[in-house]
């Protein structure tokens, strides 16, 4: 006989891996605490969550919601229509599922579904992943019982009495990095004595990072260096042709690295964008990193994320504008400076929170049992 669900939990948001993977990690932690809890995810149609959430074993409903463009474009005409449809659909979802609590993880779908939940008197919890709070979460905070954050000093944006410093959930296999990463060396065909730079611009790649390394290929022609390069599927053919034309044999080029634990394990230094999930993972991994924040994100939040590490001498930062001139040279300089590597590694490790999903799950549970 099927046991009646103890609680019904709705999780809203997504759009990028930085929102989707933490959302799944929170659900997994809650399920471990209470196997009879019932879940429903709500995401944006056509976005990553519509594929990844069902793969993780959870049901999901899609909203047609999209982002508002900050420049003049015809897409903004459809924005208000899609928002209206999404609000109506959200009200129906809340009525049909009747959740005991709604969790918002940010992203387009988070706003309409959590607003609909709050209007029905359903308690909500929001998770703000960045060091600079987004507009949606700042508006939702007025209705939130608890606001889980990953950075200190977030009372600039939220009521201090409702803040909980929990960190951002990371992919679980990253918490178990092997101290001797033999499997990684074999997988990527790297000799152990070589120095390894891991270049990763997010799951879809990053134009600036790819361009910098393509233009700096001559400088990368070194016997002692291997570049492990995740370029993104959109840029793969262009980067591959440039690398082939260079004749370099020390580049390991991939559109996407599925085993990031192995890649992090073999890396001596990491060059990366500064999304919230990436930074949380780097703090767990504890390797020296150079961050190049993406300028194409809401309210320049990646620069704020990166600055929260550079202020503690836990990472280096180069702006997107200066990357072409400085990035490859700075990476090679760091590769030669073991003292700087050790200092950055020591400082970034101190910022890692390995049990973030369990901390957030505990905050969810506190709200549920108080009802």
């Amino acid at each position: 006989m099927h046991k009646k669900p103890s609680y019904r939990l709705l999780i809203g948001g997504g759009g990028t891996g930085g929102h989707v993977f933490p959302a799944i990690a929170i659900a997994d932690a809650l399920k471990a605490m209470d196997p009879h809890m019932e879940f429903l995810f709500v995401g944006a149609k056509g976005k990553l969550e519509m594929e990844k959430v069902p793969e993780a074993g959870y049901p999901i409903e899609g909203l047609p919601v999209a982002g508002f463009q900050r420049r003049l474009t015809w897409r903004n005409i459809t924005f208000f229509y899609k928002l209206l449809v999404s609000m109506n659909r959200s009200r129906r979802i809340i009525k049909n599922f009747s959740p005991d609590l709604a969790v918002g993880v940010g992203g387009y779908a988070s706003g309409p579904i959590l607003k609909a939940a709050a209007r029905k008197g359903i308690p909500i919890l929001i998770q703000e992943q960045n060091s600079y709070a987004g507009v949606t979460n700042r508006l939702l905070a007025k209705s939130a019982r608890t606001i889980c954050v990953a950075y200190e000093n977030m009372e600039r944006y939220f009521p201090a009495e409702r803040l909980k410093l929990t960190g951002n959930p990371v992919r679980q296999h990253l918490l178990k990095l092997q101290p001797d990463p033999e499997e990684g060396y074999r997988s990527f065909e790297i000799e152990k004595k070589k120095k390894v730079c891991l270049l990763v611009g997010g799951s879809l790649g990053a134009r600036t990072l790819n361009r910098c390394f393509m233009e700096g290929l001559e400088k990368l022609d070194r016997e002692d260096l291997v570049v492990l390069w995740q370029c993104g599927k959109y840029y793969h053919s262009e980067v591959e042709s440039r690398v082939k034309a260079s004749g370099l044999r020390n580049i390991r080029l991939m559109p996407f690295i599925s085993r990031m634990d192995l890649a992090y394990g073999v890396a001596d230094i990491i060059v990366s964008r500064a999304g919230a999930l990436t930074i949380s993972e780097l703090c767990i991994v504890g390797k020296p990193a150079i961050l190049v924040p993406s300028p194409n994100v809401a309210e320049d939040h990646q620069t704020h994320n990166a600055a929260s590490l550079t202020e503690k001498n836990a990472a280096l930062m180069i702006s997107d504008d200066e990357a072409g001139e400085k990035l490859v040279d700075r990476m090679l300089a760091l590769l030669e400076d073991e003292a700087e590597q050790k200092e950055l590694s020591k400082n970034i490790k101190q910022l890692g929170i390995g049990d973030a999903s369990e901390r957030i799950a505990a905050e969810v549970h506190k709200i549920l049992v108080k009802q």
Side-chain angles (χ1 to χ4, degrees):
M1 185 176 156
H2 182 69
K3 187 171 174 19
K4 183 174 174 288
S6 51
Y7 296 106
R8 284 193 172 90
L9 197 80
L10 186 142
I11 300 179
T16 65
H19 292 120
V20 178
F21 296 123
I24 293 169
I26 293 166
D28 288 345
L30 282 161
K31 200 172 169 184
M33 286 173 72
D34 182 351
H36 301 294
M37 199 174 281
E38 190 176 324
F39 296 90
L40 177 64
F41 281 69
V42 177
K45 281 182 177 175
K47 294 294 184 182
L48 188 70
E49 56 266 29
M50 302 309 292
E51 175 192 338
K52 295 298 179 189
V53 169
E55 279 178 13
Y58 297 103
I60 186 166
E61 298 266 4
L63 302 178
V65 67
F68 187 81
Q69 304 295 312
R70 284 166 177 75
R71 61 187 188 282
L72 282 174
T73 169
W74 62 269
R75 286 184 187 172
N76 285 340
I77 298 168
T78 62
F79 167 82
F80 294 103
Y81 171 72
K82 287 179 176 178
L83 182 61
L84 188 64
V85 173
S86 296
M87 285 304 303
N88 287 333
R89 178 102 181 90
S90 294
R91 282 194 284 272
R92 284 203 301 276
I93 291 170
I94 295 296
K95 185 181 176 185
N96 294 338
F97 185 61
S98 190
D100 296 294
L101 185 141
V103 175
V105 295
Y108 300 145
S110 194
I113 195 66
L114 265 78
K115 189 81 180 162
R119 280 180 176 164
K120 279 288 180 186
I122 292 158
I124 69 173
L125 174 147
I126 57 176
Q127 193 225 349
E128 175 54 63
Q129 298 167 344
N130 294 294
S131 63
Y132 186 93
V135 174
T136 303
N137 273 350
R138 274 184 272 168
L139 292 171
L140 289 170
K142 295 169 187 158
S143 311
R145 298 274 182 95
T146 303
I147 302 149
C148 296
V149 295
Y151 295 90
E152 295 166 349
N153 305 317
M154 294 300 283
E155 56 276 3
R156 289 174 292 177
Y157 311 108
F158 301 121
E161 68 278 5
R162 283 182 267 159
L163 286 178
K164 296 289 177 185
L165 182 63
T166 57
N168 283 328
V170 301
R171 289 171 279 191
Q172 288 304 296
H173 58 271
L174 296 179
L175 301 175
K176 305 179 185 75
L177 286 187
Q178 300 301 314
D180 185 21
E182 286 288 347
E183 189 183 349
Y185 288 120
R186 282 197 307 274
S187 178
F188 301 116
E189 298 177 0
I190 297 171
E191 292 176 51
K192 276 179 88 171
K193 63 182 181 184
K194 305 271 181 166
K195 295 172 180 175
V196 180
C197 170
L198 170 63
L199 174 69
V200 54
S203 56
L204 301 178
R207 184 188 299 279
T208 298
L209 300 188
N210 289 333
R211 193 189 71 242
C212 291
F213 272 60
M214 282 192 290
E215 291 172 359
L217 281 170
E218 280 186 21
K219 295 175 181 175
L220 303 175
D221 187 6
R222 289 174 44 152
E223 283 289 317
D224 64 337
L225 171 67
V226 170
V227 178
L228 190 53
W229 187 342
Q230 178 182 288
C231 62
K233 63 180 181 180
Y234 299 125
Y235 307 105
H236 186 244
S237 58
E238 179 194 0
V239 179
E240 187 176 45
S241 64
R242 289 283 290 272
V243 170
K244 276 184 178 170
S246 76
L248 291 184
R249 308 293 297 274
N250 63 332
I251 308 289
R252 305 288 183 269
L253 183 70
M254 281 152 280
F256 182 72
I257 299 172
S258 55
R259 288 293 304 274
M260 280 305 295
D261 56 327
L262 299 184
Y264 283 139
V266 298
D268 290 295
I269 60 174
I270 297 163
V271 176
S272 174
R273 285 302 202 192
L277 179 64
T278 298
I279 285 198
S280 296
E281 290 184 350
L282 292 176
C283 291
I284 298 294
V285 170
K287 298 286 178 81
I290 302 175
L291 303 171
V292 184
S294 171
N296 310 310
V297 293
E299 297 151 301
D300 198 24
H301 66 250
Q302 287 203 7
T303 298
H304 294 278
N305 291 348
S308 69
L309 297 189
T310 58
E311 286 162 7
K312 297 179 171 73
N313 195 25
L316 304 175
M317 174 168 59
I318 296 174
S319 73
D320 197 83
D321 289 342
E322 295 182 317
E325 183 189 340
K326 296 181 178 178
L327 181 58
V328 173
D329 289 337
R330 189 66 185 93
M331 182 275 287
L332 293 170
L334 178 59
L335 208 59
E336 296 303 315
D337 192 334
E338 287 189 14
E340 186 175 30
Q341 286 182 46
K342 279 180 183 167
E343 182 68 13
L344 291 170
S345 184
K346 176 176 71 97
N347 293 339
I348 199 170
K349 263 184 185 164
Q350 290 170 2
L351 304 176
I353 299 177
D355 62 344
S357 52
E358 287 80 8
R359 291 188 187 195
I360 296 167
E363 293 302 327
V364 167
H365 210 257
K366 277 183 203 170
I367 298 171
L368 289 170
V369 297
K370 274 183 186 172
Q371 291 186 79

